[in-house]
């Protein structure tokens, strides 16, 4: 019998995103981009704690010292939940009237990788800012914020193979997931190729996770499901969801055997839209990599 997909948090988030398991706290962090807010869900008591952010938050990274790097429209900052204080780290490398950060994760060396996307705001004259070319960045204390010379209209789907030799990155707008050869020591990317391509009727490839067997789990925004793709890019299975706009998935709980899934309520009237869901798929994920603090 297929296990049910359960509603964990009836959040009704406009755009829930970036579920990230914190092993130290045995809790799930996630964001609502437009609220804008950072959430911490404790499965033990079903409590969902919320911190308001000063600007739209597109991604974040848990740090080894217990603080959190937040990728805001205006730039990167360190957030201390205990003090509820922000420390600026890097200004936005783009025009924030036109772009914002979207989707990010840490690699095994503690670098924070963040993509950007076109999301123009209205200018004072009523016109929106001109579109620019969103990029993929890597941030570390030693090297700052580096443009990795990879472009996508809507950056998403960051994940790595268990051996750290392959990096995955999607452009939701184009329906394409790319794979790169990845050098964990130098953060070098090479040999970009198409890993998977989806039709518009399938939904747009959004946030993703990789399991211990090296299979890639991808939320299909607008498609109402999670796809599990084999290392060669073929569809191994898909999990139907009670909402049409899943945004990202991540493995969590003590055994990393629960798949947590965020979703968006923007533009739909589904009863559970914007909720955080959980599902026991019978596979295990990998522990969350943390940001290296100087």
């Amino acid at each position: 019998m297929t296990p049910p997909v359960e509603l964990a948090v009836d959040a009704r988030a406009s755009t829930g995103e970036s579920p990230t398991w914190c092993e130290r706290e045995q809790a799930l962090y996630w964001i609502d981009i437009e609220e804008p807010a950072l959430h911490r869900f404790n499965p033990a008591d079903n409590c969902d704690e919320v911190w308001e952010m000063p600007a739209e938050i597109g991604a974040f990274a848990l740090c080894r010292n217990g603080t959190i790097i937040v990728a805001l429209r205006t730039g990167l900052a360190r957030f201390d939940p205990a003090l509820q204080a922000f420390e600026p780290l890097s200004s936005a490398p783009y025009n924030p009237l036109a772009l914002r950060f979207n989707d990010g994760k840490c690699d095994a060396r503690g670098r924070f990788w963040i993509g950007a996307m076109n999301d123009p705001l209205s200018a004072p004259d009523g016109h929106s800012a001109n579109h620019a070319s969103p990029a993929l960045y890597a941030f570390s204390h030693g090297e700052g914020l580096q443009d990795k010379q990879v472009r996508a209209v809507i950056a998403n789907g960051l994940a790595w193979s268990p051996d750290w030799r392959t990096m995955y990155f999607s452009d939701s707008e184009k329906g394409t997931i790319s794979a790169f050869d990845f050098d964990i020591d130098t953060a070098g990317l090479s040999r970009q190729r198409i890993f998977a391509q989806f039709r518009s009727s399938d939904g747009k490839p959004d946030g993703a996770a990789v399991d211990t067997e090296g299979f890639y789990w991808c939320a299909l925004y607008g498609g109402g499901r999670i796809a599990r793709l084999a290392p060669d890019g073929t569809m191994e299975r898909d999990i139907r969801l009670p909402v049409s706009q899943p945004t990202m998935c991540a493995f969590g709980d003590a055994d990393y055997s629960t798949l947590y899934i965020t979703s968006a309520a923007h533009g739909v009237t589904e009863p559970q839209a914007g909720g955080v869901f959980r599902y026991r798929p019978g596979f295990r994920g990998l522990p969350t990599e943390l940001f290296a603090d100087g």
Side-chain angles (χ1 to χ4, degrees):
M1 180 180 292
T2 303
V5 176
E6 301 176 338
L7 181 66
V9 186
D10 189 11
R12 305 185 187 186
S14 179
T15 308
E17 263 285 6
S18 297
T20 302
W21 184 253
C22 179
E23 188 168 315
R24 177 172 48 219
E25 300 173 22
Q26 289 295 291
L28 183 81
Y29 282 82
W30 63 280
I31 59 175
D32 186 345
I33 294 175
E34 291 91 0
E35 185 61 21
L38 173 69
H39 293 246
R40 177 186 179 274
F41 170 64
N42 184 351
D45 61 10
N46 291 320
C47 177
D48 187 58
E49 191 173 2
V50 184
W51 294 280
E52 183 179 346
M53 296 287 108
E56 287 171 295
I57 176 171
F60 66 94
L62 303 177
C63 301
R64 294 174 184 173
N65 68 1
T67 61
I68 301 169
I69 303 288
V70 291
L72 307 174
R73 181 183 280 271
T74 49
L76 299 181
R78 183 186 297 277
F79 174 62
D80 187 331
L83 301 176
Q84 298 195 36
F86 293 87
E87 173 194 353
L89 295 176
S90 175
S91 58
Y94 48 72
N95 177 2
L97 292 177
L99 304 178
R100 66 167 173 82
F101 282 124
N102 189 65
D103 197 75
K105 279 182 182 171
C106 287
D107 66 23
R109 295 289 187 269
R111 308 177 191 96
F112 183 33
W113 293 72
I114 332 103
M117 66 173 283
N118 273 304
D119 187 13
L121 299 175
S122 292
D125 60 5
H127 295 91
S128 59
N130 292 330
H131 280 219
S133 181
L136 175 66
Y137 304 90
F139 177 74
S140 65
H141 278 302
E143 298 181 326
L145 193 64
Q146 291 191 317
D147 185 339
K148 303 306 291 185
Q149 302 301 312
V150 176
R151 299 292 182 260
V153 180
I154 301 178
N156 258 314
L158 273 169
W160 287 267
S161 60
D163 62 7
W164 295 99
R165 293 182 178 177
T166 303
M167 190 188 85
Y168 301 99
F169 179 68
S170 67
D171 187 335
S172 297
E173 185 65 21
K174 295 180 179 179
T176 302
I177 304 172
S178 294
F180 299 79
D181 288 352
F182 182 69
D183 187 324
I184 186 61
D185 294 319
T186 66
L189 299 173
S190 60
R191 207 170 68 88
Q192 181 177 4
R193 65 265 186 198
I194 299 298
F195 173 68
Q197 177 79 53
F198 292 93
R199 300 165 301 181
S200 58
S201 59
D202 297 325
K204 297 181 178 182
D206 208 317
V210 169
D211 63 28
T212 56
E213 297 179 13
F215 283 65
Y216 182 88
W217 297 72
C218 175
L220 290 171
Y221 186 91
R225 66 194 203 273
I226 301 290
R228 184 182 191 239
L229 305 179
D232 64 3
T234 58
M235 175 86 75
E236 187 269 342
R237 71 182 64 199
D238 67 317
I239 297 97
R240 298 288 171 169
L241 302 172
V243 292
S244 63
Q245 296 180 162
T247 55
M248 190 172 177
C249 55
F251 287 93
D253 288 352
D255 57 0
Y256 285 93
S257 293
T258 298
L259 191 70
Y260 285 96
I261 305 159
T262 48
S263 67
H266 182 73
V268 297
T269 57
E270 301 153 356
Q272 296 182 335
V276 180
F277 298 85
R278 56 187 160 203
Y279 172 70
R280 301 280 288 186
F283 301 93
R284 294 181 59 225
L286 301 161
T288 303
E289 299 293 343
L290 306 178
F291 182 76
D293 312 276

